[in-house]
Amino acid sequence: MATFELYRRSTIGMCLTETLDEMVQSGTLSPELAIQVLVQFDKSMTEALETKVKSKVSIKGHLHTYRFCDNVWTFILQDALLKNEDSQENVGRVKIVACDSKLLSQ
């Protein structure tokens, strides 16, 4: 299964990367093993989001910026309203990064 490295920029991905860097610098972990952990993280996040997340969210807001580069769309919304089945939340700024899932099977 091919994966994107998008989730490494999430909070949990950044924490994992920082921890692995510290472990490599202290000699607790080899750089090769740290890379294997990150690759497994990418695979696990992709699989979990594909199979375990069933909720849907609608998002409305003012489009501040959008771009399309290397088959990746990035949207930045301001004054956004996020709604799911149970609740809604106003958010000042939202960044959405979207990739074509068909690219994962190539």
Side-chain angles (χ1 to χ4, degrees), residues 24-75:
V24 168
Q25 289 176 2
S26 70
T28 309
L29 196 66
S30 71
E32 295 80 15
L33 187 54
I35 291 170
Q36 286 180 348
V37 169
L38 286 173
V39 169
Q40 183 59 50
F41 172 76
D42 297 334
K43 290 178 184 177
S44 296
M45 286 296 294
T46 300
E47 180 182 342
L49 290 172
E50 285 177 354
T51 60
K52 303 211 184 300
V53 177
K54 302 295 180 202
S55 63
K56 294 183 180 185
V57 175
S58 68
I59 304 170
K60 291 183 181 181
H62 300 285
L63 183 61
H64 179 267
T65 307
Y66 69 94
R67 68 181 72 93
F68 181 71
C69 183
D70 296 333
N71 292 314
V72 177
W73 279 103
T74 303
F75 302 93

Side-chain angles (χ1 to χ4, degrees), residues 56-60 81-85 87-89:
K56 294 183 180 185
V57 175
S58 68
I59 304 170
K60 291 183 181 181
L81 176 66
L82 284 77
K83 288 185 191 178
N84 68 7
E85 300 88 21
S87 64
Q88 65 182 34
E89 185 77 29

